[in-house]
Amino acid sequence: MKKIRFFPSLFLYLFLIGSCTDNPFFNESIKVDELTTVRGRVVLENEVNAEGVYVWVDGFEYSTYTKEDGSFSIELPDPSVQPGGGLNGIFKVYFFCANYRISSASFVLINGKIERNKGNVSQDGTIFPDVWMPKLLDIRTELNHTLLTAATKDSLVIKVHLTNIADTVLVRTFRQPWGAANALVILSENRSPEEAIFLRGTTALWAEEVITHPVTWVMIYKFPRDFFSAGKYYFYPLLEVVQEGVPDKLLNSLGDRLYAFDLDYLNVPYKQTPGEIEVR
């Protein structure tokens, strides 16, 4: 099956479709023969819009992203094309959004089909209860200007406000030798992600910081004239929120160079508030 990949606007009732029962969340009937479809819903703490959480099935390496309401669907291969004519065992599906606590749920396959009332799957074929993901870190970026023109000569001051929701949060980013964080990603509203602008200090190195109280990173950039074409731009810090329990295979499925100052970083799902600026 083709892996569903897109860049989230930067969750889980797993449905194993069974008998003809109305479903209040997905507005469709559950069919007896659909026992290889994993469906569900994820709920993010402090978020109404749950779009963009990465959903990954271990053992199959299939993935997708949640929709705005947190729902998702992944179809496993037909038992006839699974090893041995149908796999048996307990499998996990993981839910990943980088600044939220990773979560998982399990389901049981018998001869390649999902069993009801086993693992986290209920009688009607759903993961029960909804998958809940607590927030670890709030990330908000602001700029000293919201509008730039060709005549603007002022430097841009970018402030990244990090508020730990968990007691202690470990983050990594590129830092100057004197300790200042210095790594940004700038995305244009009208251009493809492949045209993203990556910025960091020439002497900045990858380093860790333990956050136990709200902190603000300040970065100052003076851009040359006509560096930006007309349009709206979004500013994000480049950082990694470190947490245990994230499978290496899950991260590898997102890219080989997630935190290496590379476009793969854009595949990492975050829920954050970017800084915005309009250039005229």
Side-chain angles (χ1 to χ4, degrees):
M1 174 181 174
K2 183 178 179 181
K3 183 179 293 184
I4 305 171
R5 299 289 296 276
F6 61 86
F7 294 100
S9 51
L10 292 160
F11 273 143
L12 181 118
Y13 257 115
L14 282 186
F15 274 78
L16 318 175
I17 305 180
S19 59
C20 293
T21 304
D22 289 337
N23 188 295
F25 294 103
F26 290 94
N27 297 319
E28 58 186 76
S29 296
I30 300 173
K31 301 176 183 178
V32 175
D33 59 348
E34 293 185 351
L35 295 175
T36 57
T37 300
V38 178
R39 296 193 181 200
R41 183 178 301 273
V42 173
V43 178
L44 290 178
E45 181 182 10
N46 298 333
E47 284 287 347
V48 175
N49 184 332
E51 182 180 9
V53 173
Y54 187 58
V55 184
W56 179 79
V57 183
D58 192 12
F60 287 89
E61 327 309 334
Y62 283 11
S63 64
T64 189
Y65 290 92
T66 54
K67 298 177 181 179
E68 184 175 342
D69 64 353
S71 63
F72 76 94
S73 176
I74 298 178
E75 184 179 350
L76 302 179
D78 188 88
S80 63
V81 298
Q82 296 178 22
L87 291 170
N88 296 283
I90 301 173
F91 294 82
K92 275 191 172 184
V93 55
Y94 287 88
F95 313 96
F96 178 63
C97 185
N99 56 319
Y100 283 76
R101 179 76 64 192
I102 191 168
S103 190
S104 66
S106 64
F107 60 93
V108 176
L109 287 183
I110 302 295
N111 297 324
K113 295 186 177 182
I114 300 169
E115 287 287 291
R116 304 295 177 85
N117 287 326
K118 298 286 178 67
N120 296 114
V121 178
S122 65
Q123 176 60 38
D124 65 357
T126 69
I127 289 292
F128 183 82
D130 288 348
V131 173
W132 168 254
M133 297 179 66
K135 195 171 189 177
L136 298 174
L137 185 69
D138 185 78
I139 307 168
R140 181 173 59 87
T141 303
E142 64 173 345
L143 308 181
N144 63 327
H145 292 291
T146 58
L147 178 66
L148 283 183
T149 66
T152 302
K153 297 180 179 180
D154 293 344
S155 297
L156 273 183
V157 180
I158 301 99
K159 293 183 178 180
V160 178
H161 304 287
L162 303 178
T163 302
N164 57 303
I165 309 302
D167 290 340
T168 301
V169 180
L170 176 63
V171 301
R172 296 179 181 137
T173 190
F174 288 97
R175 309 185 74 87
Q176 299 285 20
W178 54 89
N182 197 315
L184 286 173
V185 180
I186 305 174
L187 294 176
S188 169
E189 182 179 51
N190 300 320
R191 296 184 182 181
S192 66
E194 288 74 17
E195 297 179 77
I197 301 168
F198 285 73
L199 298 175
R200 71 174 180 186
T202 55
T203 59
L205 300 174
W206 194 242
E208 294 183 347
E209 179 176 349
V210 178
I211 298 178
T212 57
H213 60 275
V215 300
T216 298
W217 294 346
V218 180
M219 309 176 206
I220 302 175
Y221 286 90
K222 190 171 183 63
F223 294 96
R225 185 184 180 93
D226 298 326
F227 181 86
F228 297 104
S229 56
K232 182 175 286 188
Y233 293 84
Y234 301 96
F235 288 65
Y236 302 86
L238 192 157
L239 59 83
E240 175 188 6
V241 179
V242 182
Q243 59 172 309
E244 296 181 353
V246 183
D248 289 339
K249 290 191 297 183
L250 182 155
L251 294 176
N252 291 337
S253 72
L254 288 167
D256 298 326
R257 297 171 54 82
L258 294 185
Y259 302 107
F261 211 65
D262 187 272
L263 281 173
D264 281 355
Y265 178 76
L266 300 179
N267 293 335
V268 182
Y270 280 89
K271 283 292 183 180
Q272 61 181 306
T273 303
E276 297 184 20
I277 198 166
E278 183 178 354
V279 178
R280 297 179 182 173

